Structures are given as structure tokens and as C-alpha cells.
Amino acid sequence: MAAHRIDDTHGAGLQSWLASANHPATDFPIQNLPYGRFTVGDEPGWRIGVAIGDQVLDLQHAGVLDHSDMARLLALAPEQRRVLRRTLSEGLRQGSPKEATFKAALHPQASVRMGMPFDVGDYTDFYTGIHHATTVGKLFRPDNPLLPNYKWVPIGYHGRASTLRVSPDEFKRPMGQLSPGNGAAPTLQPTKRLDHELELGLVIGQPSQQGEPIAIEDAEDHLFGIVLLNDWSARDIQAWEYQPLGPFLSKNFASTLSPWIVTMEALAPYRQAFTRPEGDPAPLPYLDSARNREQGAIDIALEVWVQTAAMRASGHAAERLSRSNFTDAYWTAAQLVTHHTVNGCDLRAGDLLGSGTISGPAPEQGGSLLELTQGGQRPLTLANGETLGFLADGDTIVLRAHCEREGYRRIGFGECRGTVLPR
């Protein structure tokens, strides 16, 4: 798996001739090099760019690519991805003979408009956050929070790609049927229990063939990278509609992606061993490999921030709601790819696999308000005195993520920002 290899492009001492890429707080040092799509001014079409410091490098203008087709880029073989990463790294390093050419292809990120980083074909949402699943399960089944299949099979469902949008996003509060309970008839209303979900999105690169399952040893060859994903949820609509087939209108009204794809190659230094709690069943053989046990988990620190309309009006910055880590997931990225294809389902470049809500083991590490407020029964008190149960009109949720490891540079994912508008 080429994505696991660490080489000189990851070196902590590597510096760029672009000063902003060397700032210790930047999400986008030369060790990262995430991909996205952007436009300048009112020009039609999208350009492919790479984030470096506070700039974006136009890959066609720099002579790195001869096209602007992101699907074609995603479908590159692992070794081709590595060659491209090295070309970018060498061109952006201090002392590079390509400095003048690359410098002429830079645009300030503040001056461009970011688009969806890729055209999403099919969208699958998994349920890998065992702490989220347990906490939510306790709200409905206190004595049996996890169903018997959870520790054996990666749970997922197929979502809707048409309402995926890029950050910064705004969307109207969704409508749906709400049930008052007690056998009374439901009514059509705007949701009263709008929630965020802290997720990561796995971006499929190299496609597979229908009828040909992807072995776990090869699974990450088909993963191009990872984005942040806020899979907004209307909890009251969901409670009424989800049985027996799962969520429908409660989940398909909006999902927000961050604009930069952090590549699997950039994440190589932050791999960790994948372990199960003692006493839990081992994965079935098709979901197990020595490499997945040794390096299947990825240490990605995750954060959720909120800025209410009142905070914004008074000049208050966003306030952090929770922290968690992708290592808290019960299934690895490779296991999700393998399970998705074991029945012969094919994957295409640009398919998106959501991780499901990633929460930590502590109550304050919930990746959703459903967990943090115990279903709205214990609203949070914010620093400005406001209380937060579920999201109000005008509220903004910001997801952030980064990777850190001693001996390596910190890299980040940028922001995934979305704001609720009134119906």
C-alpha cells in the first residue's frame, strides 16, 4: 500500500519558499498538499488546486497537470499519486528551480471561490462510532444499546449525493412529518431538533469492477483521501420515519464537506495500530489483515465549534463543543471499503463513504448535540449565557481536524462550516 509509506516529503524539517507554509499553526504546510477545486472571479469551470500555506497552487498553470478533470486525478494508481506528490513537494521546497514557475501559479485562498472538491457519484454513510452508537442506543434501549450485529458487520446505508454541498454552506431548516406520540396523527412542520454530526468522508479514487470484491490488503489503494463531513440530522423527523428502513428525509436535506481532500499519502505518519477492546469478537477473516491490525487506524483529532446568531452579532468567536478522534471508530477505512464491495458492488472514482458520527468515550466528547445534551434534556450553557439544546436558526457549526505526531509536522483539514437558515 503506497499510502502507508513515509518518505522525505513528510520530513519535519522540510521548508517551503512560501513563508506562510512554514507557519507552525497552518493547516497546509508542505507536508500536507491537499487537493481541491476553485475558480477565480467569474470564470466558468473549475481548476484543480493544492493548498499550500495561505495560497492555492493552480496545477495546470504550474505545468503539473494538463487537465482539470478531478475524476481523472482521483482514479490515478497509487504509484502515480506518489509521483505527483513528489513533483509538488520538490517544486514548493526552498531552493527549488521551479520556484518562479510555481509562484506565478499561486492565488491567495482568500481571493478564490472553492467548489465541491470532487463530483460525488454515490454516497454511503456508515455507523463506525461505537461511542456514538452506544450513547444514542441508551436513549432508546437503556438495557440493550448496541444491537447484536454491530460488532460483526460495518453498519451503513445509502444516502443522497444531490444535497452534498461544500463549506461554507447555508441551508434552510428542513420540513418533515413530526409525530406528537400517543397515537395522534403526525403533522408537517419544520424540524425542532436539528443536529450536527461530526464525520469524516472517505473519498474513493481508483475504481473497482462489479462482481470483484476488494481484498482488505488492497482496500486503501482505492482510497484517494479524506474530507471533513457534517451529515446534518433532523432528530424528530428521524424518530418518526426511521423504522423499518432507516433515515430518509431526516438526513437527505443537507450534508456539508470541507473543500480540501487530505490524501492518504499525507496521512502516512499518523497511522496507528487497530485494536478491539478485550472480549470483543475478532473481525471475520475478510475484514482482517496483519497490515490493518498494525496500521489500520489513523490518528485524526476532531473538533466541533458553534457560533450562535447572538454570538456573531456581538462579535463573539465560535466556542468549542467537543473533541474526539478517528481512532475512536470501531471499523477502519480499509474495512469499510472491503465490506462495501464483498457482495460484488463496484466503487467509482468520486464515491463518498461517510464514517458516521465519531464520538469519544467521555460524555463531553459527543459528536452530536443528541449526545451532548442527552436528547435535549440537558441543554448546554455557552460562555455568553445562552443555552443550546438543538440548533436554532442562524446557528453556525464548524468542524475542524488535524494530525500531530512527535517528529512530524502538524497538518490540518481546513474548516467544514455550515449555517442554519430559517424556513
Side-chain angles (χ1 to χ4, degrees), residues 297-310:
I298 310 174
D299 183 5
I300 303 176
L302 305 167
E303 297 181 343
V304 181
W305 295 69
V306 66
Q307 186 185 47
T308 67

Side-chain angles (χ1 to χ4, degrees), residues 204-414:
I204 298 298
Q206 206 172 28
S208 65
Q209 296 298 314
Q210 185 178 14
E212 299 295 330
I214 298 173
I216 193 166
E217 293 84 357
D218 304 322
E220 289 198 19
D221 289 346
H222 295 266
L223 280 174
F224 186 86
I226 298 180
V227 296
L228 285 164
L229 171 64
N230 190 339
D231 195 26
W232 308 91
S233 182
R235 301 298 184 186
D236 41 7
I237 299 174
Q238 184 174 353
W240 173 238
E241 73 176 7
Y242 85 103
Q243 294 186 14
L245 293 181
F248 182 44
L249 299 185
S250 57
K251 299 286 289 184
N252 68 3
F253 56 92
S255 299
T256 308
L257 275 66
S258 54
W260 297 108
I261 310 171
V262 176
T263 65
M264 302 306 292
E265 288 74 28
L267 294 168
Y270 313 102
R271 311 300 298 233
Q272 289 191 359
F274 165 69
T275 59
R276 285 279 179 86
E278 188 175 351
D280 279 12
L284 293 182
Y286 79 99
L287 292 171
D288 185 35
S289 73
R291 185 181 293 275
N292 191 64
R293 291 192 298 272
E294 294 164 3
Q295 301 184 53
I298 310 174
D299 183 5
I300 303 176
L302 305 167
E303 297 181 343
V304 181
W305 295 69
V306 66
Q307 186 185 47
T308 67
M311 293 167 68
R312 188 161 49 250
S314 62
H316 281 79
E319 178 177 332
R320 188 168 56 214
L321 289 177
S322 68
R323 293 175 172 174
S324 57
N325 196 291
F326 192 34
T327 55
D328 292 319
Y330 197 73
W331 300 95
T332 67
Q335 288 171 323
L336 299 187
V337 172
T338 295
H339 182 68
H340 204 304
T341 65
V342 72
N343 67 343
C345 174
D346 55 316
L347 299 177
R348 295 176 290 187
D351 284 353
L352 179 69
L353 311 185
S355 65
T357 306
I358 303 299
S359 303
E364 66 274 14
Q365 292 181 299
S368 68
L369 288 170
L370 184 66
E371 301 160 82
L372 294 172
T373 69
Q374 287 291 295
Q377 297 177 33
R378 299 179 183 176
L380 305 175
T381 301
L382 303 178
N384 68 347
E386 286 185 274
T387 58
L388 180 64
F390 289 97
L391 296 172
D393 292 345
D395 287 353
T396 295
I397 290 290
V398 182
L399 309 184
R400 295 175 179 147
H402 67 273
C403 299
E404 288 185 284
R405 178 184 169 189
E406 187 175 354
Y408 293 92
R409 276 295 303 269
R410 174 194 181 279
I411 66 171
F413 286 68

